[in-house]
Amino acid sequence: MTVLAFAFGTLEIRDAGPHAALLPNACQWDARTACHRAPAIAYADVVRALHLAKVPYEDRARAYLELPHGMRLHREPRPYQADALVAWRAHRGRGVVVLPTGAGKTHVAMMAIDDKRRSALVIAPTLDLVRQWYDALRTTFGMPVGLVGGGEHDVRALTVTTYDSAYLHMEHLGARFGLVVFDEAHHLPGASYALAARFSIAPFRLGLTATPERTDGREADLEELIGPIVFRRDVTELAGEFLADYDVETIGVELTPDEREEYEAGRALYRGFISRNGIRFDRPTGWGEFIMRSARSDDGRRAMKAYLRQRELAFGAQSKLEALGQLLELHRGDRAIVFTQDNATAYRIARTFLVPVITHQTKVRERSEILEGLSKGTYGAIVTSKVLNEGVDVPDANVAVVVSGSGSVREHVQRLGRVLRKKGDKRAVLYELVTEATSEQYTSQRRREHVAYR
Amino acid sequence: MLTADLVNARRRDGKLHVTALAGKARARAVELAGTYLAILAAHVDATRDEVEAALSAIPTGASERKLGLGLRKLLDDACTWEAEPEVDPAELRAEVFHRAAAVRRALGDDEHFDRAVVLEEIGKARGLDLDALERALFADLRGAYRLLGAPETPSEHVVEAYEDGQAQAVLLRAVRVTVQVDCATASEARALFRKLKFLRLLYRVQPRAQADGEAHGYALEIDGPFAMFEASTKYGLQLALLLPVLRECRAFALEADLRWGKEREVLQFETSGGWGAAKGSVAAAAERPPEELLPDEVAQLLARFRALESRWQVEIAHELLDLPGVGLCAPDLVFFEAEPKSDARAKATAKGKAKAKPPARRIFLEVLGYWSRDAVWKRVELVRAGLPFRVLFAVGARLRVSEEVLDDDLPGALYVYKGAMSARAVLERLEALAE
């Protein structure tokens, strides 16, 4: 009899005999182990092919279970959440739902888990989000929830993990879940993380994101790894009724004379280098060429050092700290999240204004305590670099201050999203501090190329 | 372990060549390692940020950047760091930030936040001056860790570790490797295949013929289960971890397919070595008779068996007996039938017994000794699953396994012994297996 077995992220099909021709194209003969082999993601196709051809088989691969019960905590879905579930079901439980931050993507996932009632794994990009999913699943389903990552390895019928841990452990966990939820699914199409999807046999897959588009264009891979985009709503369609109304304000600041002098000197040095070497940043390869050439000579290393310094001056200008101080006093009765491009600036702000800081170095217990403090109002502001860009839920936060950031549209939209969750008649505001007459102005223009800022 | 970005290598003709340290460059590397070691020794009790600043102050040319960073990485791995334990920084931060939030919230419209007031208040309550409080606030950050112990390795050894580490770091970006390996003994081969299994790597194995026509060692193609669908560096760490085991074999030559750099450029990489090729060991390895490399009990059996008068000749085995999908064994010895025993064969054929068995030209012996019961059961499974070789497995009596486990009509048999193996008992079992 044909036997299916899960082996380190792949599916082994033994003793297929004359039925081998019926197997999907993903299955190939593996001389190393004398059996047919397919990526684990092909499990549903293999089972369907054998079933349709009425081939008897023993399934030793499937190690996932039916959940003992569904949701214990029921909440009436918003109309678009119910529509998203219907669309996902219509695609055999494989697809991506695109909803703006704060629109309740988590609840769509809860409904999907309730609908399929199979062991489910939720994969999220950060430990803060893992903690949030852990709490939400435990409350909604009223059962123990497993955790893999951040020093924990406890696998249960409902489990939460990070993309990093999923990449590391899916070759062992891939058979234990019938449904995988990919939170912030735009992370998935990277060369490494994609293996977390390919190493899983889960027939049901749900992707959640506000911004599926990637700068490398690999969002197309989501269709193979999860399924097609089955439902989509933009921020402007939901603002007011389902998301908080918001204002966006860009505040221009000046470099001090000393900073300006150093900025111009640094800029002249590195621009001289790129000009002498014929490097053009308007070409896609320009930046890579600069990195490569700057490493090859002492002149190049000085140019790179000068480039980093002038960028540091623009992103962390002294006037920005002064402006931030004024904003913190202006919004002393609100809940503010301050975002920076780098950890050093985040710690500088924390020391200067004595506000709690969350970076990748902050341990889970302290993160929880800080977020709880912001939620309860014992803290009026917190500062972070990038770890809170995505998904972390602080419904009471109503002020976001971007002290510095990249040119990424996604990052900027996500930072805005942190203060958009609807609560009463709250009105959110996002401040962006930009140093005038520096390259940061161009960075700011690039990141605001989104419907949310028009 | 070095990371791939610290490898000093050049791309040429589709290959990645690790830049070897020789002559002046090597002397400079030893000098640099010595300088770093001296700085570390002088900075015991300093913070990581202070140590980093001191190390970074040593001038290195553009061409030495990776060498410098690589040596620093290896030395950092050998250092002992610890956070300042006096005050719990997380607890202190919570106290300071809560107080600061309360002060800010209570500000009037014309008032401004003053951090000094908050810090003085907390410092006073905790008996800390302002400097100590500022230092303790983030004392648990990586940069604030203190150096408790610096390595005392000679700088020459640090450079040797750097040279060895470069090839290993390259393999972190390997998607598949091919290895020509020559194991001096079955123990070396078993260690290699045990490691492959432990690392969950898959392989194809072929005997490797040399110019003299004799099979010496084998060619292995090694990658992971998923590698047949996509060239992935997922198995790079496992492949890198294999290198120290290969270096324990007599000789190896490895070729790796890489996906190198951010662009994942397809490149080849070659490295070789083994204890027989190590500096100063080549001549010694060539001079040593192969019997001297055998474990004592195998060498004793070999000598005793050769002293017997029998129709069997015995040699050290160099083959691997592989049954894809089931397993593999690495025999220690191989017995050759000097002259076929025609009357016995005719008798056996008449009974119809010899039909299913391969010709009785060679019988392998693998000594499992007192190793593990699990290993014995794996060999039993291998024989039952159709291993196409005649093999005798010598098993220590303490493992409590019966010789009856394998049926007479199978091409494998167990020889259970107490104390030392008997050449005569082995001979009896060879005769039985040959029938």
Side-chain angles (χ1 to χ4, degrees):
Chain A
M1 188 193 287
T2 302
V3 177
L4 308 184
F6 177 78
F8 306 114
T10 66
L11 191 66
E12 286 183 352
I13 304 119
R14 293 193 178 275
D15 303 322
H19 308 303
L22 299 168
L23 294 171
N25 290 338
C27 302
Q28 293 176 25
W29 177 253
D30 188 348
R32 302 170 300 177
T33 47
C35 67
H36 282 85
R37 190 181 295 279
I41 194 174
Y43 169 77
D45 290 340
V46 171
V47 167
R48 202 173 296 125
L50 294 173
H51 192 69
L52 283 174
K54 297 189 172 140
V55 175
Y57 65 94
E58 184 185 346
D59 188 349
R60 291 185 199 160
R62 178 179 163 159
Y64 57 83
L65 308 166
E66 292 204 9
L67 295 181
H69 57 79
M71 287 198 281
R72 285 279 162 85
L73 187 71
H74 292 273
R75 187 167 67 73
E76 191 60 31
R78 292 169 173 170
Y80 61 84
Q81 289 172 324
D83 292 347
L85 182 69
V86 169
W88 181 71
R89 283 158 80 178
H91 283 81
R92 283 191 174 150
R94 286 175 95 117
V96 179
V97 169
V98 183
L99 284 173
T101 305
K105 289 190 286 289
T106 304
H107 193 59
V108 176
M110 298 296 170
M111 292 192 299
I113 296 168
D114 186 56
D115 187 64
K116 295 301 175 197
R117 299 266 171 107
R118 300 288 196 284
S119 307
L121 177 70
V122 177
I123 307 177
T126 63
L127 284 173
D128 298 287
L129 282 170
V130 163
R131 184 192 57 82
Q132 203 162 285
W133 276 101
Y134 176 85
D135 291 343
L137 285 166
R138 213 171 44 165
T139 311
T140 308
F141 287 89
M143 64 173 80
V145 173
L147 197 59
V148 176
E152 301 279 343
H153 195 94
D154 177 23
V155 183
R156 294 175 185 261
L158 293 178
T159 296
V160 194
T161 187
T162 59
Y163 279 94
D164 282 325
S165 294
Y167 167 68
L168 289 173
H169 300 296
M170 196 63 101
E171 59 185 329
H172 305 294
L173 301 179
R176 297 182 62 174
F177 301 98
L179 167 61
V180 179
V181 177
F182 299 93
D183 188 24
E184 308 290 350
H186 48 269
H187 286 277
L188 188 62
S192 300
Y193 288 171
L195 292 183
R198 294 200 171 102
F199 283 7
S200 163
I201 69 167
F204 306 116
R205 291 156 188 254
L206 172 64
L208 300 172
T209 177
T211 48
E213 292 77 21
R214 291 169 57 98
T215 48
D216 60 5
R218 292 184 75 170
E219 62 267 22
D221 295 356
L222 286 173
E223 180 149 353
E224 177 223 334
L225 300 171
I226 303 174
I229 291 177
V230 294
F231 188 82
R232 180 167 201 156
R233 289 285 182 277
D234 273 322
V235 62
T236 47
E237 294 175 80
L238 302 179
E241 191 178 356
F242 298 111
L243 296 177
D245 270 325
Y246 62 93
D247 300 306
V248 176
E249 194 175 326
T250 300
I251 299 173
V253 300
E254 299 277 341
L255 289 174
T256 64
D258 285 350
E259 285 174 336
R260 172 61 64 187
E261 192 180 333
E262 198 183 348
Y263 175 85
E264 296 299 346
R267 194 164 169 78
L269 205 157
Y270 105 83
R271 289 203 64 85
F273 177 81
I274 63 169
S275 165
R276 281 196 302 282
N277 287 276
I279 300 168
R280 286 179 51 186
F281 281 163
D282 56 346
R283 288 186 191 144
T285 54
W287 176 244
E289 207 178 331
F290 175 48
I291 290 185
M292 200 173 63
R293 289 187 182 227
S294 67
R296 286 184 182 164
S297 66
D298 292 339
D299 191 25
R301 292 176 80 183
R302 276 193 295 275
M304 176 54 82
K305 206 170 167 185
Y307 166 80
L308 294 172
R309 179 62 186 147
Q310 58 90 37
R311 192 167 176 269
E312 186 186 342
L313 285 165
F315 279 31
Q318 182 58 34
S319 316
K320 281 193 176 183
L321 289 195
E322 287 161 16
L324 176 63
Q326 289 166 13
L327 289 174
L328 290 176
E329 286 178 11
L330 178 68
H331 290 282
R332 60 186 180 274
D334 292 316
R335 317 279 169 85
I337 305 177
V338 179
F339 294 98
T340 66
Q341 169 68 1
D342 57 282
N343 289 338
T345 309
Y347 282 109
R348 188 173 159 206
I349 289 170
R351 279 191 183 278
T352 306
F353 300 105
L354 302 182
V355 292
V357 55
I358 296 180
T359 68
H360 71 284
Q361 290 202 57
T362 314
K363 295 199 170 72
V364 173
R365 213 177 80 186
E366 190 179 5
R367 284 171 189 227
S368 296
E369 188 269 330
I370 291 171
L371 291 171
E372 193 185 337
L374 184 67
S375 193
K376 285 182 176 169
T378 50
Y379 293 135
I382 65 171
V383 59
T384 181
S385 49
K386 292 186 171 187
V387 295
L388 293 192
N389 280 358
E390 291 178 314
V392 170
D393 186 10
V394 190
D396 295 280
N398 59 341
V399 178
V401 184
V402 176
V403 171
S404 53
S406 68
S408 159
V409 172
R410 178 188 298 119
E411 177 183 275
H412 207 48
V413 170
Q414 284 165 337
R415 286 176 165 186
L416 170 65
R418 301 282 64 80
V419 293
L420 285 188
R421 195 166 290 273
K422 184 86 174 165
K423 183 152 188 192
D425 58 354
K426 108 174 174 191
R427 189 167 185 90
V429 59
L430 178 136
Y431 294 99
E432 185 195 16
L433 306 184
V434 180
T435 309
E436 293 188 333
T438 67
S439 57
E440 195 187 25
Q441 284 184 307
Y442 173 62
T443 307
S444 165
Q445 274 170 26
R446 279 195 296 145
R447 68 186 172 221
R448 280 186 283 118
E449 285 173 2
H450 188 272
V451 64
Y453 300 98
R454 285 170 198 151
Chain B
M1 188 193 276
L2 289 179
T3 49
D5 59 311
L6 295 179
V7 172
N8 206 351
R10 286 164 194 255
R11 306 165 199 211
R12 196 169 58 235
D13 302 329
K15 287 188 177 176
L16 189 79
H17 301 270
V18 167
T19 309
L21 290 172
K24 283 182 183 172
R26 198 165 200 290
R28 168 66 177 148
V30 174
E31 180 197 353
L32 204 53
T35 307
Y36 290 155
L37 281 162
I39 289 174
L40 290 170
H43 279 75
V44 171
D45 207 35
T47 66
R48 187 187 280 274
D49 281 345
E50 289 163 349
V51 173
E52 292 285 333
L55 293 171
S56 299
I58 301 302
T60 50
S63 60
E64 296 174 338
R65 194 183 72 89
K66 286 186 177 175
L67 168 68
L69 292 175
L71 292 172
R72 282 170 62 173
K73 168 75 169 66
L74 293 177
L75 291 171
D76 190 281
D77 290 347
C79 284
T80 311
W81 301 93
E82 194 176 86
E84 201 167 35
E86 287 169 22
V87 182
D88 179 352
E91 200 181 288
L92 179 64
R93 282 196 291 272
E95 190 179 343
V96 169
F97 297 152
H98 272 119
R99 184 66 196 132
V103 168
R104 187 175 278 116
R105 215 171 19 247
L107 290 176
D109 284 345
D110 296 327
E111 292 178 305
H112 297 292
F113 178 75
D114 187 347
R115 70 189 291 275
V117 172
V118 176
L119 293 177
E120 272 168 25
E121 185 188 319
I122 304 283
K124 202 172 169 187
R126 284 185 168 251
L128 291 170
D129 64 35
L130 201 58
D131 280 351
L133 181 65
E134 293 263 22
R135 216 173 38 246
L137 202 54
F138 289 104
D140 54 345
L141 293 189
R142 193 172 180 271
Y145 275 38
R146 292 198 174 271
L147 178 62
L148 291 192
E152 292 175 2
T153 326
S155 49
E156 181 69 35
H157 289 189
V158 178
V159 173
E160 280 170 16
Y162 172 79
E163 288 171 316
D164 286 349
Q166 291 232 81
Q168 196 172 25
V170 168
L171 293 181
L172 292 170
R173 295 290 174 265
V175 297
R176 173 178 291 114
V177 301
T178 306
V179 192
Q180 311 287 329
V181 61
D182 178 9
C183 295
T185 63
S187 311
E188 280 180 17
R190 275 182 223 126
L192 173 61
F193 286 92
R194 260 203 310 277
K195 190 71 174 180
L196 281 167
K197 191 170 181 186
F198 176 77
L199 293 170
R200 303 183 307 278
L201 292 166
L202 296 182
Y203 53 83
R204 288 184 194 85
V205 58
Q206 294 284 333
R208 192 164 61 90
Q210 298 259 312
D212 59 6
E214 291 287 313
H216 288 287
Y218 2 90
L220 291 164
E221 271 181 56
I222 307 168
D223 53 23
F226 189 75
M228 62 189 288
F229 305 109
E230 185 181 302
S232 166
T233 53
K234 167 80 181 166
Y235 306 108
L237 177 60
Q238 285 120 293
L239 293 169
L241 291 173
L242 194 62
L243 199 56
V245 187
L246 286 169
R247 286 181 175 143
E248 296 294 314
C249 296
R250 176 157 54 193
F252 76 91
L254 178 149
E255 288 177 27
D257 293 338
L258 307 177
R259 296 294 178 273
W260 191 252
K262 278 186 180 169
E263 320 82 47
R264 296 171 58 79
E265 187 180 351
V266 177
L267 292 172
Q268 300 286 310
F269 171 69
E270 293 173 6
T271 186
S272 58
W275 59 262
K279 290 168 205 139
S281 304
V282 181
E287 282 168 13
R288 285 180 74 185
E291 285 80 356
E292 280 190 15
L293 300 168
L294 292 174
D296 288 348
E297 60 175 348
V298 180
Q300 284 163 12
L301 175 67
L302 181 68
R304 285 183 199 135
F305 196 92
R306 280 178 174 163
L308 281 181
E309 279 191 18
S310 83
R311 66 191 178 98
W312 297 89
Q313 292 178 356
V314 61
E315 297 294 342
I316 295 169
H318 294 285
E319 284 175 72
L320 289 170
L321 312 183
D322 184 31
L323 190 59
V326 183
L328 164 149
C329 76
D332 296 85
L333 301 174
V334 58
F335 297 87
F336 299 83
E337 204 175 11
E339 284 176 27
K341 200 175 179 181
S342 53
D343 55 336
R345 179 167 297 282
K347 202 174 161 187
T349 309
K351 284 183 183 174
K353 274 188 178 176
K355 247 185 187 176
K357 294 183 182 179
R361 298 262 163 78
R362 295 186 305 165
I363 298 178
F364 295 93
L365 173 80
E366 186 180 21
V367 181
L368 297 174
Y370 299 96
W371 186 11
S372 82
R373 277 169 65 83
D374 189 43
V376 179
W377 294 123
K378 279 182 183 150
R379 300 310 191 278
V380 167
E381 189 191 344
L382 201 57
V383 172
R384 285 179 179 156
L387 185 71
F389 302 95
R390 289 171 191 262
V391 195
L392 183 61
F393 299 104
V395 180
R398 265 182 283 164
L399 292 185
R400 290 179 288 110
V401 178
S402 162
E403 291 189 0
E404 313 299 316
V405 167
L406 284 171
D407 293 338
D408 289 346
D409 56 351
L410 290 169
L414 298 184
Y415 158 45
V416 178
Y417 65 94
K418 279 184 187 170
M421 287 178 284
S422 150
R424 198 159 293 282
V426 169
L427 177 60
E428 281 169 22
R429 282 154 182 85
L430 291 177
E431 294 293 357
L433 264 177
E435 285 189 2

